Amino acid sequence: MGFKDILVHVDATPASQARLDFAAHFAKEHEAHLVALHVEAAPYVPADIMATGMAASVLQWQRELRRHREAEVGGKVEAARQRHGIEIEWRAIEGDVDDTLALHGRYVDLVIIGPGSDSLDLEQPELPSPGHVVIATGRPVLVLPKDYKAKSFGQRILLGWKSTPEAARAVHDALPLLAKARNVTVTEVNPDLAGARRIAGGDIAKYLARHGVAVTVSPVVAPDMDAGSLLLARAADIEADLIVMGAYGHSRLREAVLGGATRYILDHLDIPVLMAS
């Protein structure tokens, strides 16, 4: 069906501009409706400041800072609308950034976000946790590296395959991109083939070939290395410009504890990754 509704997270950081431009270009290429979502946390006064009688001043300062950031980001969205010649729906919401992205993301075909941040600067905008957004949204999430500037996108795709519901969902959600790619390399890392009569990755490769996808099967066996680092190394080897993979979590803690490969990829991201759960 393609991507007809796309949501991009925008904020006041410099990296947000490149993400917004990428999303606008992507939406225009796919003739999709684009939503630019800006989220600001509600004003908050710590208990120790509350006791000093300065709470009102702190709240006022926070509100002014948020209004300034909202106006700044809104201006960037309007400039992008004019620059790319497409309509962009602007939403400014107060709330938790992860929960708000998950809620709004459930009504689109693709969510585009950045890698998050480890910054503790309270004056900086709150950035999303990619792992939480991927797990909680129920839609494919495209995570772009910081300061991403695309020379190419979706031409050489690495599909990190594992026979799980999450990986199957990622393949299905990425079909519009996979079908247009010049080459898709299917890599199953450290497959368990004991007694199996199959080629690692061959099963999903047959499925993709029936959809007209140009597929190369390239399993990797290196038991002493973790799957995440192997996938990134393989992506570098084939000069991939996109990774597609399932996002894995652990039992009831899926939203809090990501699988090793998922966490490693998100922590060391140097090319875009499309994840589904």
Side-chain angles (χ1 to χ4, degrees):
M1 294 178 61
F3 302 108
K4 295 304 177 185
D5 254 312
I6 298 170
L7 182 147
V8 59
H9 173 246
V10 291
D11 55 68
T13 62
S16 181
Q17 183 65 65
R19 185 166 64 249
L20 177 59
D21 282 331
F22 173 88
H25 177 78
F26 189 92
K28 188 173 184 178
E29 180 182 356
H30 290 263
E31 298 181 347
H33 175 71
L34 179 61
V35 176
L37 176 64
H38 175 67
V39 185
E40 287 283 357
Y44 169 73
V45 179
D48 55 345
I49 293 180
M50 187 77 71
T52 67
M54 298 177 59
S57 298
V58 171
L59 286 173
Q60 181 63 25
W61 171 77
Q62 290 185 0
R63 291 191 184 100
E64 290 177 358
L65 181 63
R66 282 156 174 73
R67 281 195 294 267
H68 173 77
R69 281 204 296 247
E70 182 178 323
E72 178 185 350
V73 177
K76 290 181 179 179
V77 172
E78 175 59 23
R81 183 191 70 80
Q82 296 183 21
R83 186 163 56 252
H84 294 277
I86 66 168
E87 289 301 318
I88 302 177
E89 181 182 345
W90 163 240
R91 298 178 188 172
I93 307 293
E94 183 179 282
D96 177 83
V97 64
D98 288 336
D99 292 343
T100 303
L101 272 168
L103 175 62
H104 288 251
R106 292 177 190 136
Y107 304 97
V108 299
D109 299 314
L110 180 69
V111 178
I112 302 175
I113 62 175
S117 173
D118 296 326
S119 173
L120 297 177
D121 187 347
L122 297 180
E123 294 187 16
Q124 293 299 314
E126 183 182 3
L127 300 180
S129 168
H132 177 92
V133 175
V134 172
I135 297 298
T137 301
R139 289 290 189 271
V141 177
L142 180 62
V143 187
L144 301 181
K146 185 178 180 181
D147 301 326
Y148 175 66
K149 292 181 175 60
K151 294 181 180 179
S152 68
F153 173 81
Q155 297 301 305
R156 297 175 303 279
I157 300 177
L158 176 68
L159 170 58
W161 175 248
K162 189 177 182 180
S163 185
T164 63
E166 296 90 345
R169 173 65 64 84
V171 169
H172 178 269
D173 290 343
L175 271 177
L177 296 173
L178 295 169
K180 290 184 177 182
R182 292 179 185 172
N183 181 262
V184 175
T185 299
V186 176
T187 293
E188 188 171 348
V189 175
N190 294 330
D192 182 7
L193 297 177
R197 296 182 178 178
R198 70 180 184 91
I199 298 174
D203 41 10
I204 195 63
K206 289 181 181 178
Y207 168 80
L208 290 172
R210 294 188 185 103
H211 284 268
V213 179
V215 184
T216 299
V217 179
S218 178
V220 176
V221 179
D224 295 333
M225 292 183 65
D226 62 89
S229 58
L230 280 171
L231 282 175
L232 286 182
R234 189 70 184 114
D237 288 342
I238 66 172
E239 298 183 331
D241 54 18
L242 174 65
I243 296 174
V244 172
M245 62 182 289
Y248 310 106
H250 296 297
S251 64
R252 298 179 182 178
L253 298 177
R254 291 184 77 229
E255 294 187 21
V257 183
L258 296 172
T262 306
R263 173 53 56 200
Y264 188 92
I265 293 289
L266 290 174
D267 286 346
H268 300 83
L269 198 61
D270 55 3
I271 64 171
V273 58
L274 188 147
M275 290 185 167
S277 67

